[in-house]
Structures are given as C-alpha cells and as structure tokens.
Amino acid sequence: QSTWASLSIMQNNQSPINLYQGQGFSGAKPFQIAELIQDYKYRKSFGEFFLKGDVIQEIDQNSKLLHECLKGVAVVAPRDYVVLAAKQEREDNSIIICLKSVEFQGMPEPPKGFVRSNINMISWLLICLLYTSPSPRDS
C-alpha cells in the first residue's frame, strides 16, 4: 500500500521561494506517481483545495492544455488557471512534469467569483530514492 502527498512551492513578494506545503510518496514508482498526479478524480480525493480539472486539449502523449480550479482560503478568492503541462520521462526512470500558464484564443473564462492565476512555472521531479533505477525490482 502506497502513501501519497505533494510538495508545493509558491512565490510571493517577500521571498523568492516560499515553502507552502510538503509531504511525499512512498511505495510507488515515478510513473505511478505521475499517473496519479494527472488523474483528476484521484487528485480531488487527496487535494483539499482542488475543485476540478479539465483537459482542454491533448497535444501529444506528453503535452496537454489543462484548466484547473482551486478553492479559496479564508479571505483569498478561489483561483483558476490554464496551463500547458509537459512531461518528460528520462533514461534513469525519473520523470519531470512542468506547468506554465498560457493564453490562447478560445481559452475558458474563469468561473464566476474566481481569479485567474498566472503560473510562471511549476515543476515536479519524480525520482525513486530507495534504489537506483532501473533495478531488478522494476521487472
């Protein structure tokens, strides 16, 4: 049985990098974690601020346009964003996932009461720390 979590780093005006929330996965391989992160039904079950997500367009097997909505917190309005998500699987079995806000003609409008967020860059590096991959345990 695997445990899950996420690490989110947010930028603000007071600090170039501010740790917002941190946890980790165990008992899962990088490709399994990548699948869970991209599964909106699953994300809703572990992300208390995650409301919904939609794939606007699949560009190829590693690139998608996404629209996601997050709950507001206290006096902060709910947020939405439209991002290009790209995934790269590397030779060492690690996976890099990057998200960046994009604008394009016909993109969804923010839902009523939501504020459109601009994400300069979010990236996840998914690696296995238990052993160097590939390993005989991978088969």
Side-chain angles (χ1 to χ4, degrees), residues 24-80:
F25 277 93
S26 68
K29 297 176 183 168
F31 79 90
Q32 294 168 312
I33 297 167
E35 287 174 2
L36 292 176
I37 288 170
Q38 297 174 67
D39 180 341
Y40 285 135
K41 290 178 186 171
Y42 182 79
R43 275 193 48 203
K44 196 168 186 177
S45 74
F46 77 79
E48 67 180 283
F49 299 110
F50 184 79
L51 286 174
K52 71 174 193 156
D54 297 302
V55 177
I56 299 168
Q57 179 184 353
E58 285 201 35
I59 298 167
D60 59 37
Q61 69 180 25
N62 294 313
S63 305
K64 300 175 186 176
L65 288 172
L66 306 174
H67 179 229
E68 298 185 352
C69 297
L70 304 174
K71 292 179 186 176
V73 180
V75 297
V76 177
R79 305 285 188 213
D80 88 318

Side-chain angles (χ1 to χ4, degrees), residues 90-102:
R90 299 169 18 152
E91 287 183 21
D92 64 358
N93 290 333
S94 64
I95 297 174
I96 299 172
I97 299 174
C98 296
L99 300 125
K100 180 170 179 31
S101 287
V102 293

Side-chain angles (χ1 to χ4, degrees), residues 7-12 15-21 79 122:
L7 174 66
S8 300
I9 297 177
M10 297 177 57
Q11 289 188 316
N12 65 31
S15 169
I17 297 178
N18 184 30
L19 181 63
Y20 175 67
Q21 176 183 3
R79 305 285 188 213
I122 292 176

Side-chain angles (χ1 to χ4, degrees), residues 74-90:
V75 297
V76 177
R79 305 285 188 213
D80 88 318
Y81 49 88
V82 176
V83 294
L84 172 63
K87 176 179 76 171
Q88 179 187 40
E89 297 180 20
R90 299 169 18 152

